[in-house]
Amino acid sequence: MLKSYLNNWTLMRLIRTVLSVLIIIQAISIHDIAMSLVGIVLLGMALANIGCCGSGGCATPAYKKGGMKKEEFISYEEVV
């Protein structure tokens, strides 16, 4: 299980980890509890490799081959 966390490191995940560690260090140096909680949450998100969208919530639908068929043509009517 730990091996899966260490294998899939992308540049964005590394940036999130570094920034969250820097936020935690800054929060400790200025004695700010709220900022340290934000840093801990961001570090957890980076280590678990999750984002704001959860598990694929922001994914776009797969491209369907063939596109729009003639029967699916949309006609519009002007409403006055």
Side-chain angles (χ1 to χ4, degrees), residues 8 13-15 22 24 28 31 39 41 54 57 59 62 67 71-72 76:
N8 300 326
R13 190 173 177 187
L14 184 64
I15 290 171
L22 290 175
I24 293 170
I28 291 171
H31 305 289
V41 168
E71 298 86 40
E72 296 177 3
Y76 295 97

Side-chain angles (χ1 to χ4, degrees), residues 68-80:
M68 224 173 154
K69 298 179 182 175
K70 290 183 181 180
E71 298 86 40
E72 296 177 3
F73 182 75
I74 301 171
S75 63
Y76 295 97
E77 182 179 323
E78 184 178 346
V79 178
V80 181

Side-chain angles (χ1 to χ4, degrees), residues 1-2 5 9 11-12 29-30 35 37-39 47 53 56 63-64 66 70-72 77-78:
M1 181 157 172
L2 183 64
Y5 284 118
W9 281 84
L11 179 64
M12 193 63 210
S29 69
I30 63 171
M35 196 160 110
L37 291 175
V38 170
L47 293 177
C53 294
Y63 174 74
K64 293 181 181 177
K70 290 183 181 180
E71 298 86 40
E72 296 177 3
E77 182 179 323
E78 184 178 346

Side-chain angles (χ1 to χ4, degrees), residues 44-60:
M45 289 173 64
L47 293 177
N49 198 18
I50 57 174
C52 298
C53 294
S55 59
C58 294
T60 57

